[in-house]
């Protein structure tokens, strides 16, 4: 990879999470040279400047390199149980990482023109304490790579807040919506996902979280490893603490504070990453809530009997919402009508 333009292109694609796997392998070979690694991490960490505008030390960059190298050699996005094609593009959608715009400008102008002597940036950049990335209602899933090597995939109508670097004794992120987590193992620093009235404490594992603030429940489903899920009352006092094993999910009801643990087919929880929505023996009211987020519609179920009917099915998220509803309604139990983004469903 001697061509300088290729190097700069790969740096931009990697930081924007749009690099193809074969390009990633070639990029990794270039990074084997210590000087190249130093150059890359100086650029990558433009957004991680401290208040006195110092770049990370050589030791910090070497640690970051080791983490990134482990992810590359292990398949990077292979995940715990994810099914992905052999050639893939890393991260779809809009990557709202704080430094991407600055990095893209830096590379387009030439790395040497943007960085001053000894690799220090000409412009002083002061990052915010937390970055925020989101996927809008009806949007396509997006992937976030955290500084510790963890990977988070965000579903529609989801927002994740996370620090540019994990500097404390715990690695904390805040989630509103649905996401699949592949957490990098770190025995010294637990990973904590903060939800509405719940905390998920992790040390290295894979799990799916459904925790939309506009819904009355949270669901955590464990695919691999173990997680502890703490539930709190309205005053923030802990009322329950459960330890999940693979194949279990915990359901937390906001109104009653009730916590229930059950055995499930955990593989159903993250099929949305493959463009599918699969459900098994789920009430129509829960299915309707999911369809609202996936299709950016508002579904009105005015009949209490309809809300409780349970369904099992699999749909491609490429199908039109009307087609999905017609398949659900194969027994002709209801009729529906759409006006704008509002869908009204009534019993027959």
């Amino acid at each position: 990879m001697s061509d300088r333009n290729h190097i700069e292109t790969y740096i931009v694609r990697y930081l924007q999470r749009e690099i193809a796997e074969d390009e990633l392998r070639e990029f990794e070979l270039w990074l084997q040279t210590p000087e190249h690694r130093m150059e890359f991490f100086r650029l990558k960490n433009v957004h991680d400047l401290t208040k006195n505008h110092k770049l990370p030390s050589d030791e910090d960059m070497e640690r970051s390199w080791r983490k990134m190298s482990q992810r590359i050699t292990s398949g990077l996005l292979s995940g715990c149980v994810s099914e992905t094609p052999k050639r893939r593009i890393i991260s779809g959608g809009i990557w709202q990482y704080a430094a991407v715009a600055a990095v893209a400008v830096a590379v387009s102008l030439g790395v040497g023109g943007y960085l001053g002597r000894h690799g220090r940036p000409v412009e002083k950049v002061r990052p915010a304490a937390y970055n925020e990335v989101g996927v809008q209602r009806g949007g396509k899933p997006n992937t976030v790579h955290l500084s510790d090597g963890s990977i988070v995939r965000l579903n529609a109508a989801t927002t994740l807040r996370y620090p540019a670097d994990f500097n404390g004794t715990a690695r904390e992120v805040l989630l509103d919506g649905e996401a699949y987590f592949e957490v990098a193992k770190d025995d010294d620093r637990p990973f904590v996902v903060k939800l509405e009235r719940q905390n998920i404490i992790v040390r290295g594992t894979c799990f799916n979280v459904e925790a939309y603030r506009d819904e009355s429940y949270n669901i955590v489903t464990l695919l691999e490893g173990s997680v502890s899920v703490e539930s709190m009352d309205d005053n923030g006092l802990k009322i329950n603490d459960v330890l999940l094993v693979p194949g279990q999910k915990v359901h937390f009801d906001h109104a009653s504070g009730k916590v229930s643990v059950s055995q499930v087919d955990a593989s159903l929880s993250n099929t949305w990453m493959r463009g599918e929505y699969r459900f098994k023996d789920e009430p129509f009211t829960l299915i309707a809530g999911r369809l609202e987020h996936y299709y950016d519609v508002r579904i009105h179920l005015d009949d209490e009997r309809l809300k409780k009917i349970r369904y099992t099915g699999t749909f491609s998220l490429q199908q039109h919402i009307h087609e999905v509803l017609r398949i659900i309604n194969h027994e002709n139990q209801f009729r529906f009508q759409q006006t704008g983004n509002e869908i009204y469903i009534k019993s027959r």
Side-chain angles (χ1 to χ4, degrees):
M1 203 170 78
S2 58
D3 188 333
R4 181 68 189 183
N5 289 333
H6 285 177
I7 295 171
E8 295 178 355
T9 298
Y10 288 0
I11 290 174
V12 171
R13 287 182 181 174
Y14 178 83
L15 291 173
Q16 292 179 322
R17 307 304 188 247
E18 294 177 349
I19 189 169
E21 190 168 280
D22 55 349
E23 296 172 334
L24 183 64
R25 303 300 177 189
E26 190 176 351
F27 182 42
E28 192 234 357
L29 291 177
W30 180 79
L31 285 171
Q32 296 299 321
T33 304
E35 291 79 7
H36 292 169
R37 292 203 297 271
M38 296 289 287
E39 178 181 359
F40 168 72
F41 280 105
R42 283 195 180 99
L43 184 58
K44 178 180 180 295
N45 286 295
V46 165
H47 67 289
D48 291 332
L49 298 176
T50 59
K51 290 184 178 179
N52 60 1
H53 310 301
K54 291 182 181 179
L55 286 169
S57 67
D58 292 350
E59 292 78 10
D60 290 336
M61 288 189 282
E62 188 62 27
R63 281 194 296 270
S64 295
W65 156 246
R66 288 196 295 269
K67 288 181 181 179
M68 191 182 83
S69 182
Q70 289 174 353
R71 300 300 293 177
I72 292 173
T73 55
S74 64
L76 196 61
L77 286 186
S78 58
C80 296
V81 295
S82 305
E83 298 177 12
T84 52
K86 190 170 184 180
R87 173 178 172 85
R88 56 188 178 264
I89 298 296
I90 297 173
S91 177
I94 300 173
W95 179 254
Q96 300 179 19
Y97 203 59
V100 166
V103 169
V105 171
V107 174
S108 67
L109 295 176
V111 175
Y114 183 78
L115 299 180
R117 295 183 62 187
H118 309 297
R120 296 187 181 278
V122 175
E123 296 185 44
K124 296 180 179 180
V125 181
R126 190 185 299 271
Y130 271 76
N131 297 323
E132 182 174 298
V133 61
V135 179
Q136 65 185 4
R137 291 171 65 93
K140 302 296 183 184
N142 193 12
T143 302
V144 179
H145 294 251
L146 304 181
S147 61
D148 67 336
S150 297
I151 298 173
V152 187
R153 293 175 174 86
L154 308 181
N155 204 352
T158 298
T159 301
L160 179 75
R161 295 185 65 230
Y162 62 98
D165 248 325
F166 294 109
N167 297 318
T169 57
R171 299 169 287 165
E172 292 189 351
V173 301
L174 294 83
L175 177 71
D176 173 16
E178 181 170 20
Y180 174 74
F181 288 82
E182 297 177 15
V183 176
K185 186 175 178 60
D186 187 338
D187 291 332
D188 298 324
R189 296 185 302 167
F191 191 97
V192 181
V193 183
K194 302 182 78 66
L195 311 174
E196 178 86 5
R197 293 176 53 190
Q198 279 190 311
N199 292 329
I200 306 171
I201 298 92
V202 191
R203 293 191 182 276
T205 188
C206 297
F207 56 98
N208 195 80
V209 183
E210 303 170 50
Y212 290 99
R213 288 183 181 271
D214 60 354
E215 293 185 345
S216 62
Y217 60 88
N218 295 344
I219 296 176
V220 180
T221 305
L222 183 63
L223 289 91
E224 183 175 297
S226 66
V227 298
S228 175
V229 183
E230 300 176 343
S231 303
M232 279 74 72
D233 62 17
D234 289 331
N235 298 317
L237 299 177
K238 186 163 68 172
I239 57 177
N240 191 278
D241 189 351
V242 298
L243 183 66
L244 295 183
V245 299
Q248 287 185 330
K249 79 172 182 181
V250 58
H251 183 285
F252 174 60
D253 185 274
H254 290 182
S256 65
K258 180 181 178 181
V259 176
S260 59
V261 178
S262 58
Q263 294 292 135
V264 295
D265 181 355
S267 65
L268 295 178
S269 67
N270 66 342
T271 57
W272 55 267
M273 296 193 304
R274 301 193 297 273
E276 295 179 348
Y277 174 36
R278 298 179 64 187
F279 46 89
K280 183 177 181 180
D281 195 32
E282 296 287 0
F284 197 8
T285 183
L286 187 150
I287 297 169
R290 286 289 166 270
L291 295 177
E292 287 183 333
H293 294 129
Y294 297 161
Y295 289 94
D296 190 19
V297 295
R298 173 66 175 162
I299 297 177
H300 301 272
L301 277 171
D302 299 327
D303 190 311
E304 291 299 321
R305 185 186 66 84
L306 273 181
K307 293 180 181 180
K308 298 176 182 178
I309 296 177
R310 307 181 80 87
Y311 294 96
T312 296
T314 301
F315 302 107
S316 166
L317 295 179
Q318 300 300 315
Q319 292 177 275
H320 194 279
I321 181 66
H322 290 181
E323 184 178 358
V324 173
L325 290 175
R326 280 194 288 268
I327 294 173
I328 293 175
N329 193 32
H330 68 282
E331 294 183 353
N332 204 28
Q333 295 176 305
F334 61 83
R335 62 182 184 276
F336 66 89
Q337 180 178 355
Q338 181 169 2
T339 303
N341 282 353
E342 307 288 325
I343 297 179
Y344 300 89
I345 299 179
K346 296 184 178 181
S347 295
R348 285 191 179 276

